């Protein structure tokens, strides 16, 4: 339904900014099954000294593209934006 779609878009990306480990950053997205339910996650992690905030949109788009492709293979009909 429409509300679920809006909620998915708002929650589409998660980030860890050294909350778990010092000097480590992580960006992640969910993977969805044929019922469009989140069933797993896909993420990248890197040391903070190699992370440039200006590159975040590029990494996020790469993760979303991968999530869409994997989720589609699992039957998801409504990919992330």
């Amino acid at each position: 339904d429409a509300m679920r779609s809006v909620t998915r878009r708002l929650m589409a990306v998660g980030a860890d900014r050294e909350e778990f480990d010092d000097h480590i950053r992580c960006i992640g997205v969910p993977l969805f099954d044929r019922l469009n339910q989140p069933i797993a996650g896909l993420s990248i992690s890197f040391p903070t000294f190699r992370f440039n905030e200006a590159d975040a949109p590029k990494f996020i788009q790469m993760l979303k593209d991968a999530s869409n492709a994997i989720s589609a293979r699992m039957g998801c009909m409504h990919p992330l934006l």
Side-chain angles (χ1 to χ4, degrees), residues 13-19 21-28 42-60 62-63:
V13 177
D16 178 343
R17 295 177 176 92
E18 299 184 84
E19 289 98 358
D21 281 321
D22 290 340
H23 311 294
I24 301 292
R25 294 284 305 262
C26 179
I27 301 171
L42 178 66
S43 66
I44 54 172
S45 299
F46 33 84
T48 54
F49 71 88
R50 290 193 179 164
F51 180 72
N52 181 344
E53 194 70 43
D55 291 332
K58 175 180 69 174
F59 294 128
I60 290 168
M62 290 170 61
L63 284 166

Side-chain angles (χ1 to χ4, degrees), residues 54-75:
D55 291 332
K58 175 180 69 174
F59 294 128
I60 290 168
Q61 190 58 55
M62 290 170 61
L63 284 166
K64 285 184 175 184
D65 291 345
S67 172
N68 289 338
I70 295 167
S71 296
R73 292 195 61 159
M74 292 190 288

Side-chain angles (χ1 to χ4, degrees), residues 1-47:
D1 74 344
M3 186 60 170
R4 175 178 278 179
S5 180
V6 169
T7 301
R8 272 184 58 201
R9 288 186 200 118
L10 291 174
M11 297 173 53
V13 177
D16 178 343
R17 295 177 176 92
E18 299 184 84
E19 289 98 358
F20 188 70
D21 281 321
D22 290 340
H23 311 294
I24 301 292
R25 294 284 305 262
C26 179
I27 301 171
V29 296
L31 301 175
F32 297 92
D33 66 7
R34 64 181 179 79
L35 301 174
N36 301 318
Q37 297 296 309
I39 59 165
L42 178 66
S43 66
I44 54 172
S45 299
F46 33 84

